[in-house]
Amino acid sequence: QITKKEQDVQSVLEPLRKMMNPLSTLPKVQFYEGRDGMIELYNKILDLHSPIDSFEDKGEMAAFIPEYVKKFIAARVEHNIFNRVICPAGNFINIPTPKELRDTWHVPAELFPFTGDIKICKDLVSIFSFEKDTAVAIAIRHKDIADNFRHLFNLYWDTLRQRYLNHV
């Protein structure tokens, strides 16, 4: 009876194995909630010690975790992590400055009404929403997904450079 059960299991497993692509790698996805979750994910980004490309909000991060913003910037600078930022005009945190290792394109807020952040760093894409009662973030670790987000960022960055749009 046990032998029969083993054969039944093997007959199911074999077709499943054939369906799997051994060359594919599934993304690792993690969810973060609230203030502490956001800070945990921002710290994971810093731990990568690699340049960051960011689509950023109008100032929602600063309003949501004001005491952490300066710590994040200081830690980023301490670890020599450069940050390229595209954000709505009026974002008072993301002023381009060599001192804070940041270059920024400000886009008219009506054309770019972002209220969250998307950060691309190495193989990590982090997406943040700062809604007061339902603040969440998603971290996706996958090289191809990160590369495609980086391609989108670079396309937008280069388009802004070519148009000389509000570069400050």
Side-chain angles (χ1 to χ4, degrees), residues 69-89:
V69 172
K70 288 181 182 177
K71 291 178 186 177
F72 177 82
I73 294 169
R76 188 176 54 69
V77 170
E78 180 183 330
H79 292 106
N80 201 31
I81 300 170
F82 193 80
N83 192 187
R84 292 189 306 169
V85 177
I86 298 171
C87 65

Side-chain angles (χ1 to χ4, degrees), residues 141-153:
R141 294 221 57 170
H142 190 271
K143 183 181 179 332
D144 188 54
I145 291 172
D147 287 347
N148 280 292
F149 268 88
R150 193 170 294 104
H151 293 315
L152 286 170
F153 182 90

Side-chain angles (χ1 to χ4, degrees), residues 114-126:
F114 258 47
T115 59
D117 284 359
I118 298 173
K119 294 196 177 310
I120 307 137
C121 185
K122 281 193 172 180
D123 66 345
L124 177 67
V125 176
S126 304

Side-chain angles (χ1 to χ4, degrees), residues 15-32:
L16 289 174
R17 280 190 192 111
K18 288 180 181 177
M19 291 169 49
M20 289 180 54
N21 179 354
L23 301 178
S24 73
T25 55
L26 295 175
K28 291 174 179 53
V29 180
Q30 289 184 284
F31 298 90
Y32 299 83

Side-chain angles (χ1 to χ4, degrees), residues 114-168:
F114 258 47
T115 59
D117 284 359
I118 298 173
K119 294 196 177 310
I120 307 137
C121 185
K122 281 193 172 180
D123 66 345
L124 177 67
V125 176
S126 304
I127 303 169
F128 298 84
S129 172
F130 301 107
E131 290 185 3
K132 186 176 181 179
D133 297 324
T134 58
V136 295
I138 303 166
I140 305 167
R141 294 221 57 170
H142 190 271
K143 183 181 179 332
D144 188 54
I145 291 172
D147 287 347
N148 280 292
F149 268 88
R150 193 170 294 104
H151 293 315
L152 286 170
F153 182 90
N154 287 331
L155 174 65
Y156 204 178
W157 185 267
D158 292 343
T159 299
L160 290 169
R161 181 183 310 126
Q162 289 170 5
R163 292 188 182 174
Y164 302 105
L165 230 185
N166 296 331
H167 193 76
V168 277

